[in-house]
Amino acid sequence: MDKFWEAAGTKLADRWAAVSGPALVFWLGGLLAYARDHHGVHPLTDWLTRQKAPVQLLTVAVVLLAVAASAVAVQQFVTPALRLMAGYWPRWSGFVRDRLVARVRVKAVADSQEWHRLGSLVFGPDATPDVDTLRCFAEVDRRVQLHPGSLNALMPTHVGNVLRAAETRPGDKYGLDAVTVWPRLWLLLPETARKELEVTRLALDRGVAAALWGLLFLTFTPWTLWAVPIGLMATAVAVFFITPSRAEVYGQLVESAFDVHRTTLYEHLRWPLPNNPRDEQVQGRALTTYLRRGSDADLPIFATPPPADSR
């Protein structure tokens, strides 16, 4: 039993540390704000030292549970916050959203024109690009890749455009609607691919959570005015730097999952494999429709299913 409780305690501590790291930093910051306003934490420590051992242990347990509970509570708001960062705003904000999308559209059109101009200098039949031309083309190409191919799919924020590009590019290349196909493709991904996607999505969620913790830090303002610049700075860094960079990595992995493993989906659905890129776009759209609504058509003829143990 001693070994059992020791192992259980170790696993519980590891789990608590994994969940409560940002929350612990937040509450330690609040404790420092309290100490600044009350000239130290002596009232708290004095009260704790006067208590008996069971009360002290219970107090520590309650504090640890409160920290973990606050982490879980903030986690519930990560997905709504990510949607706000992506530009899925209420209908009453349409005017602001339209203005921001218009600005993004102007930049996207300019980048597309510049991409074609530099592309002719880089890939033309008699092209001899210099280092500056190659560098400029690489920068423009990166910006183009971070926007959806259709101007009608543009979002008002950088994070929104990065994630929308990952959603729409499988449709542009393969005729597969990512929103429809992704749950099915996820079930067929190998364990290594799933693990990488889970890690990058967790990193993205943590970036969003950091912005939420920064906003919550403003609640310590009555104790110290330093909470305002610290909270706003943490939120700004998370919103404008951490979350966009992590969204880019996550979006690239999602798109790569379609690039590498989409044929596995065809095989497990017994759908005939495309013969060429043009045929793949047609087959991809047909497969998307089949997954959405089913079909009673005679074509295409189902292919031979793959072996039962293949992934």
Side-chain angles (χ1 to χ4, degrees), residues 60-85:
V60 172
V62 169
V63 170
L64 295 179
L65 287 175
V67 172
S70 64
V72 173
V74 169
Q75 189 65 31
Q76 304 307 309
F77 293 93
V78 166
T79 299
L82 180 58
R83 289 184 60 83
L84 287 176
M85 289 186 186

Side-chain angles (χ1 to χ4, degrees), residues 38-106:
H38 292 77
H39 306 288
V41 294
H42 300 295
L44 296 177
T45 57
D46 291 344
W47 175 87
L48 187 60
T49 55
R50 290 195 302 267
Q51 307 304 314
K52 296 181 180 180
V55 176
Q56 292 177 348
L57 292 175
L58 180 61
T59 302
V60 172
V62 169
V63 170
L64 295 179
L65 287 175
V67 172
S70 64
V72 173
V74 169
Q75 189 65 31
Q76 304 307 309
F77 293 93
V78 166
T79 299
L82 180 58
R83 289 184 60 83
L84 287 176
M85 289 186 186
Y88 294 97
W89 300 338
R91 185 172 298 179
W92 52 263
S93 64
F95 175 77
V96 176
R97 187 183 188 280
D98 292 343
R99 293 291 298 272
L100 292 176
V101 169
R103 292 180 57 184
V104 174
R105 182 179 290 110
V106 171

